[in-house]
Amino acid sequence: MPQKPSIPKGTRDFGQQETAERNYIFDTIRSVFRTFGYAQIETPAMENLSTLLGKYGDEGDKLLYRILNSGDAFANIDESRPLASQVCEKGLRYDLTVPFARYVVQHQNELSFPFKRFQIQPVWRADRPQKGRYREFYQCDVDAIGSRSQLCELELIQIIDKVFEKLGVNVLIKINNRKVLTGLAEICGFPDKVVDITVAIDKLDKIGLDAVKEEMREKGLSDEAIAVLEPVLTLKGSNEVKLSVMRSIMGGSATGLKGLEELEELFGYISAAGIGTATEIDLSLARGLNYYTGAIFEVKALDWQIGSICGGGRYDNLTGIFGLPDMSGVGVSFGADRIYDVLKGLDKFPGDLRSSTRILFANMGPKELGYILPLASALRAEGISVEIYPDAAKLKKQFDFADRKTIPFLSITGENEMEQGSVNIKDLRSGEQKSFAKDDIKGMADWIR
Amino acid sequence: MPQKPSIPKGTRDFGQQETAERNYIFDTIRSVFRTFGYAQIETPAMENLSTLLGKYGDEGDKLLYRILNSGDAFANIDESRPLASQVCEKGLRYDLTVPFARYVVQHQNELSFPFKRFQIQPVWRADRPQKGRYREFYQCDVDAIGSRSQLCELELIQIIDKVFEKLGVNVLIKINNRKVLTGLAEICGFPDKVVDITVAIDKLDKIGLDAVKEEMREKGLSDEAIAVLEPVLTLKGSNEVKLSVMRSIMGGSATGLKGLEELEELFGYISAAGIGTATEIDLSLARGLNYYTGAIFEVKALDWQIGSICGGGRYDNLTGIFGLPDMSGVGVSFGADRIYDVLKGLDKFPGDLRSSTRILFANMGPKELGYILPLASALRAEGISVEIYPDAAKLKKQFDFADRKTIPFLSITGENEMEQGSVNIKDLRSGEQKSFAKDDIKGMADWIR
């Protein structure tokens, strides 16, 4: 009995249309990365589990796909120890960040630092599949490692600006700095409450100032501490105003002042470079708080309701775990699937992605084929995508084929045209028909293109 | 203690240079596929093991990478049955052919037949790693399914011709037909000896006619049978001569005559279309003999010693196993890794793949940055890849950076230039230096590009 074919839950087939649309996103992102001198690298889908385990927390470890050792994986196992760790040595890449750190350490002697790389590859997570969450999906990561300059942060903001300008999506770039958050916790006397304070700030819009204060009290902050933070909780206005308010209260924290200095330097660069996209200091940005040590970024689409479509930040010790300390880097990751949803929702994909084939030559039989084949080759040499219907089927069937594939031009070349040395081409959208001399390849190409 | 980072045996990291070179191959192949109206699709890396098992023979089953079920894979196992089959439901794609067949059957109602697709994705095999053989490698497959027309075969030959013309590699396309081989076995009275006869023909150049005849005798062929085959064994000359010799002896086999008819039709199309690449009938081509039912192709590089760099053929029942019978198709697969080796060996990669960055602006400090940042943005808008050194490091260090990355142009803009409103750019290869007005973005771009 034949198998009913299916694919694993949480994975997807991409047909012609989706692949073309996804490639449009990847190509756009790639072309922007390149104008900033970032180098594309690729790492294997399979990494040693020793590289992956312990890098994503206990929850992450559970979400790793493990690959059964080849050969007889179950020979010589010790039943008293956990089996999974004995029969699997490799796993599928969970993100592009850990493989990047591994790559930098492994190839450190071949690389020129600061090393600017990008990577567009799939990752796998054994997550519960749900709307918009997949078990195999692409990440588009861009990182600069080996420099602490805020120019690297600027470049990422410029990249985000250009990518979404090219894609035609209005976005807001939110910027935070981990050192500022540390500073706030320090000046109010609760240096271990960074997360609680950030979470509380995040709720301000939803629950209001009084409820946020109450929550801070519940988390153990004193009234004095809350009074110190109050100017920050109610922070409004331009980035300059926000920076100046924070500076007025940050005196007691060297780390906080360093964070403000970084933000000021970055906003200075942003104004010097001239960025079209709005940038906004947002102290509630807590993304990857255990991980980032400086700037934190998040990008929101303004005209479509969806979570963050790009995000990242600066990390000071990504490569330490693999034996290369003191390598500061900064990077962002573009979420291809969400960006896809935004472009689809806003109808922002270019129309000409729909069919790659520009013209179909109907197949009228062997004699006509001898006339058509060199023509088709000549048009392809002009870069035109050409199909010849493979069988001399009924014209109705060939028409339907062109229609279903939305091929815009059709040529039916029969004995008459062969006698006259001409080619008839019809624009199936407008109905317009033109006749060309069969040597007028340029003329045909210009019309069809 | 930090881990010493490594990657699994048989897998590879691709640095900037290799990724650029590999992309050049993929982009070239993709652009040719497109001009023939083939649609790109993508399928997931993970397939259900039920889709993969039994499709590649016992040996192939052993080479599949199995993925441990997520959650507790070892809960509720029956120790008396093989463990691997109980704890793994998914595997990594072994080739692109079976996923394609699965895709066609699963999506048959969304597709227009004949369906022409291409697919460029990695595959995984738990093979013993050795020189030129990897556990993760890319395949570039192009197939047309749903037509028996020899025009499909022609298109693949045209695609091969164009791909290697664009890559600058001289190749020979060898063509065989499974039905002709069946016919030869039939007319000599040993219909079950197709493989033995093909293998014997393959050895002719190496061991000579007498030894081949002896081998056929050992395989159980009678002297009469060998006498019937002798005109084929010594077949020389043009494709037309070969076809006519075979036609003269093939009368007794309807299948063989059908095979000759297919070859004749195909060569008729080849001559009508005008193919630059040499095409040659080669009866020793036994590639995928259990699998192909018509044309068989193999491509050899003429100026570089390596195995086949592209191959394929026609199959009549690829999708039958998944419940869709009578779908004839034909396809070829380009071996990206071998093509890479050929291009490397013949030094055929374009030189400008080496560095993506065209110009480095030296970083002279914050004041100069304000002058440089808008310039860099304007040049990027012209499509130029621009880097600014992130730190105001010693000039020597910045120079070395440009040198190691083979960035061709360097601009050092200091107080003098700022006063004059000019930009100095040096061609690091020739030493030539030019000064531009800072608004002359076009002038700079034209020189740097």
Side-chain angles (χ1 to χ4, degrees):
Chain A
M1 209 188 75
Q3 304 170 356
K4 189 164 175 279
S6 66
I7 50 177
K9 258 193 222 122
T11 70
R12 292 164 290 171
D13 283 329
F14 298 110
Q16 165 169 27
Q17 174 76 16
E18 282 163 297
T19 303
E21 288 166 346
R22 289 166 56 87
N23 282 344
Y24 166 71
I25 294 173
F26 296 137
D27 290 346
T28 302
I29 290 176
R30 192 183 290 125
S31 73
V32 174
F33 289 169
R34 283 204 181 120
T35 62
F36 287 82
Y38 286 76
Q40 186 169 14
I41 68 161
E42 296 201 334
T43 62
M46 300 191 290
E47 293 272 355
N48 291 320
L49 278 175
S50 57
T51 299
L52 301 176
L53 284 168
K55 309 302 188 299
Y56 308 105
D58 289 349
E59 203 45 45
D61 283 355
K62 282 188 204 143
L63 300 183
L64 288 174
Y65 277 112
R66 292 152 194 258
I67 295 163
L68 203 65
N69 294 340
S70 42
D72 185 358
F74 291 95
N76 309 316
I77 51 172
D78 173 356
E79 309 250 346
S80 67
R81 292 193 302 122
L83 287 174
S85 59
Q86 298 181 65
V87 298
C88 297
E89 279 161 11
K90 293 182 286 289
L92 291 177
R93 172 170 68 209
Y94 178 90
D95 70 2
L96 301 178
T97 306
V98 167
F100 171 56
R102 195 264 311 143
Y103 178 91
V104 167
V105 177
Q106 194 173 331
H107 299 275
Q108 54 185 292
N109 297 325
E110 306 148 36
L111 302 176
S112 306
F113 292 98
F115 177 55
K116 295 161 68 174
R117 87 86 173 79
F118 74 91
Q119 199 169 345
I120 300 180
Q121 291 193 280
V123 302
W124 293 268
R125 296 182 186 179
D127 235 327
R128 192 197 309 260
Q130 50 180 267
K131 190 177 176 319
R133 189 189 288 172
Y134 305 101
R135 290 180 159 180
E136 169 174 322
F137 58 97
Y138 268 72
Q139 291 191 332
C140 313
D141 276 25
V142 56
D143 290 80
I145 192 164
S147 163
R148 293 178 188 273
S149 164
Q150 292 295 308
L151 270 184
C152 302
E153 274 81 349
L154 171 70
E155 272 193 4
L156 296 177
I157 289 171
Q158 288 180 302
I159 285 171
I160 293 167
D161 171 58
K162 281 296 162 217
V163 163
F164 291 108
E165 179 190 318
K166 285 198 172 200
L167 294 175
V169 177
N170 293 319
V171 299
L172 170 67
I173 306 175
K174 296 178 177 192
I175 303 175
N176 198 359
N177 189 296
R178 167 63 206 241
K179 295 190 185 82
V180 170
L181 297 178
T182 303
L184 292 177
E186 283 178 9
I187 56 163
C188 73
F190 291 85
D192 57 331
K193 301 274 187 210
V194 176
V195 175
D196 292 334
I197 294 171
T198 311
V199 169
I201 296 174
D202 187 35
K203 291 189 178 167
L204 199 72
D205 281 346
K206 278 165 249 154
I207 63 176
L209 181 61
D210 288 340
V212 162
K213 285 184 182 176
E214 184 50 41
E215 184 169 317
M216 286 184 166
R217 246 173 246 123
E218 280 165 20
K219 295 282 180 190
L221 269 78
S222 64
D223 286 344
E224 295 75 19
I226 294 170
V228 171
L229 290 176
E230 185 152 349
V232 177
L233 295 177
T234 54
L235 206 54
K236 286 259 174 329
S238 69
N239 295 321
E240 289 71 25
V241 169
K242 287 179 181 171
L243 284 169
S244 110
V245 170
M246 285 191 284
R247 188 163 278 283
S248 71
I249 61 166
M250 199 65 91
S253 166
T255 304
L257 287 172
K258 178 82 177 81
L260 289 177
E261 201 181 281
E262 288 178 6
L263 278 177
E264 278 162 3
E265 189 181 356
L266 178 53
F267 278 100
Y269 289 150
I270 289 173
S271 101
I275 309 285
T277 301
T279 50
E280 181 186 286
I281 294 177
D282 182 345
L283 291 177
S284 71
L285 221 64
R287 186 188 179 89
L289 213 51
N290 302 319
Y291 185 77
Y292 293 128
T293 52
I296 304 174
F297 305 114
E298 210 166 271
V299 180
K300 262 188 79 72
L302 291 177
D303 308 321
W304 192 256
Q305 199 70 30
I306 204 164
S308 147
I309 55 179
C310 175
R314 177 171 287 273
Y315 40 81
D316 278 342
N317 199 19
L318 186 67
T319 56
I321 185 93
F322 297 116
L324 186 65
D326 296 324
M327 267 287 185
S328 186
V330 57
V332 294
S333 183
F334 287 80
D337 288 296
R338 285 193 177 167
I339 293 172
Y340 182 92
D341 289 345
V342 172
L343 294 182
K344 211 63 186 170
L346 298 174
D347 198 16
K348 291 288 187 183
F349 282 112
D352 55 3
L353 298 175
R354 272 170 209 157
S355 171
S356 57
T357 305
R358 296 299 297 170
I359 181 166
L360 176 73
F361 282 93
N363 188 331
M364 312 293 286
K367 206 163 29 130
E368 287 82 355
L369 274 179
Y371 188 79
I372 285 169
L373 281 169
L375 267 173
S377 294
L379 285 171
R380 288 181 186 125
E382 295 288 323
I384 311 269
S385 174
V386 179
E387 288 192 64
I388 301 174
Y389 197 83
D391 302 287
K394 289 211 176 98
L395 265 182
K396 167 84 172 72
K397 192 173 176 186
Q398 303 192 40
F399 251 114
D400 286 351
F401 178 81
D403 190 43
R404 278 200 314 277
K405 289 189 69 170
T406 60
I407 299 174
F409 293 92
L410 175 71
S411 173
I412 301 178
T413 301
E415 281 185 27
N416 273 348
E417 286 77 14
M418 288 171 68
E419 269 167 33
Q420 295 164 13
S422 69
V423 179
N424 249 333
I425 299 177
K426 186 174 181 176
D427 185 331
L428 293 174
R429 299 158 303 183
S430 66
E432 191 185 355
Q433 206 153 336
K434 286 193 185 185
S435 179
F436 296 88
K438 82 166 175 161
D439 302 327
D440 184 16
I441 301 297
K442 284 269 175 210
M444 291 184 234
D446 286 346
W447 197 45
I448 297 168
R449 197 180 305 277
Chain B
M1 206 187 78
Q3 303 171 0
K4 190 165 174 278
S6 67
I7 49 176
K9 258 194 222 127
T11 69
R12 292 164 289 171
D13 282 327
F14 298 112
Q16 164 168 29
Q17 173 77 14
E18 282 162 297
T19 303
E21 287 166 347
R22 289 166 57 87
N23 282 344
Y24 166 72
I25 295 173
F26 296 138
D27 290 344
T28 303
I29 290 176
R30 191 181 294 127
S31 73
V32 174
F33 288 169
R34 285 206 179 121
T35 62
F36 286 82
Y38 286 76
Q40 186 169 13
I41 67 161
E42 296 200 335
T43 62
M46 301 191 290
E47 292 271 356
N48 292 319
L49 277 175
S50 57
T51 299
L52 301 175
L53 284 168
K55 309 303 189 300
Y56 307 105
D58 290 347
E59 204 44 48
D61 283 355
K62 282 188 204 143
L63 300 184
L64 289 173
Y65 277 112
R66 291 152 196 257
I67 294 164
L68 203 64
N69 294 341
S70 40
D72 185 0
F74 291 96
N76 309 316
I77 51 171
D78 172 357
E79 308 251 346
S80 66
R81 292 192 302 124
L83 287 175
S85 58
Q86 298 180 66
V87 298
C88 297
E89 277 161 14
K90 294 180 286 287
L92 290 177
R93 174 170 68 210
Y94 179 90
D95 70 2
L96 301 178
T97 306
V98 167
F100 171 56
R102 195 264 311 144
Y103 179 91
V104 167
V105 177
Q106 193 173 332
H107 299 274
Q108 54 186 292
N109 297 326
E110 307 148 37
L111 302 175
S112 306
F113 293 98
F115 176 56
K116 295 161 68 175
R117 86 86 172 79
F118 74 90
Q119 200 169 346
I120 300 180
Q121 292 191 278
V123 302
W124 293 267
R125 295 182 187 180
D127 236 328
R128 194 197 309 260
Q130 50 180 267
K131 192 180 174 315
R133 190 190 287 172
Y134 304 101
R135 291 180 159 180
E136 169 174 323
F137 58 97
Y138 268 72
Q139 291 192 331
C140 312
D141 275 26
V142 56
D143 290 78
I145 192 162
S147 164
R148 292 177 190 276
S149 165
Q150 293 294 308
L151 271 185
C152 302
E153 273 82 349
L154 171 70
E155 271 194 2
L156 296 178
I157 288 170
Q158 289 180 301
I159 284 172
I160 293 167
D161 172 58
K162 282 295 162 215
V163 164
F164 291 108
E165 180 191 316
K166 287 198 169 199
L167 293 175
V169 177
N170 292 318
V171 298
L172 170 67
I173 305 175
K174 297 178 174 193
I175 303 174
N176 198 0
N177 189 299
R178 166 64 207 240
K179 296 189 184 80
V180 170
L181 297 177
T182 304
L184 293 176
E186 283 178 10
I187 57 164
C188 74
F190 290 85
D192 57 331
K193 300 275 188 209
V194 177
V195 174
D196 292 333
I197 294 170
T198 310
V199 168
I201 296 174
D202 186 37
K203 292 190 176 165
L204 199 72
D205 282 346
K206 277 164 250 157
I207 62 177
L209 182 61
D210 288 340
V212 164
K213 285 184 180 174
E214 184 50 40
E215 183 167 317
M216 286 182 165
R217 247 173 245 118
E218 281 166 19
K219 295 282 180 188
L221 269 77
S222 65
D223 286 345
E224 295 76 17
I226 294 170
V228 171
L229 290 177
E230 185 151 349
V232 177
L233 295 177
T234 54
L235 206 53
K236 284 259 174 327
S238 69
N239 294 321
E240 290 70 26
V241 170
K242 287 178 179 170
L243 284 168
S244 109
V245 170
M246 286 191 284
R247 187 162 280 281
S248 71
I249 62 166
M250 199 64 90
S253 166
T255 303
L257 286 172
K258 178 79 177 85
L260 289 176
E261 201 181 280
E262 289 178 2
L263 279 176
E264 278 162 3
E265 190 182 356
L266 177 54
F267 278 100
Y269 289 149
I270 288 173
S271 102
I275 310 285
T277 302
T279 51
E280 182 186 285
I281 293 177
D282 182 345
L283 292 176
S284 71
L285 221 62
R287 188 190 177 86
L289 213 51
N290 302 319
Y291 185 78
Y292 293 129
T293 52
I296 304 175
F297 305 114
E298 210 166 272
V299 180
K300 262 187 78 76
L302 291 176
D303 307 321
W304 192 256
Q305 198 71 32
I306 203 163
S308 147
I309 54 177
C310 174
R314 177 172 287 274
Y315 41 82
D316 277 343
N317 199 19
L318 185 68
T319 56
I321 185 96
F322 297 116
L324 186 67
D326 297 324
M327 266 290 183
S328 187
V330 58
V332 294
S333 182
F334 288 80
D337 288 296
R338 284 191 176 167
I339 293 172
Y340 182 92
D341 290 344
V342 172
L343 294 182
K344 210 67 188 167
L346 297 173
D347 197 16
K348 291 286 188 186
F349 282 112
D352 56 5
L353 297 176
R354 274 180 205 149
S355 171
S356 58
T357 305
R358 296 299 297 169
I359 182 166
L360 176 72
F361 281 93
N363 188 332
M364 311 295 283
K367 205 163 30 129
E368 286 83 354
L369 274 179
Y371 188 79
I372 285 169
L373 281 169
L375 268 173
S377 294
L379 285 170
R380 288 181 187 125
E382 294 288 321
I384 311 270
S385 174
V386 179
E387 288 192 63
I388 301 174
Y389 196 83
D391 302 285
K394 287 210 176 100
L395 264 182
K396 168 86 171 69
K397 192 172 176 190
Q398 303 192 40
F399 250 115
D400 286 352
F401 178 82
D403 189 46
R404 280 198 314 276
K405 289 188 70 169
T406 61
I407 299 174
F409 293 91
L410 176 71
S411 173
I412 300 178
T413 300
E415 279 185 29
N416 272 348
E417 286 78 14
M418 288 172 65
E419 267 167 35
Q420 293 164 15
S422 70
V423 179
N424 249 333
I425 299 177
K426 186 173 183 178
D427 185 331
L428 294 174
R429 300 158 304 185
S430 66
E432 191 185 354
Q433 205 153 335
K434 285 193 185 184
S435 179
F436 296 86
K438 83 167 175 162
D439 301 327
D440 184 16
I441 301 297
K442 283 269 176 212
M444 293 183 232
D446 286 347
W447 196 45
I448 298 168
R449 199 181 302 277

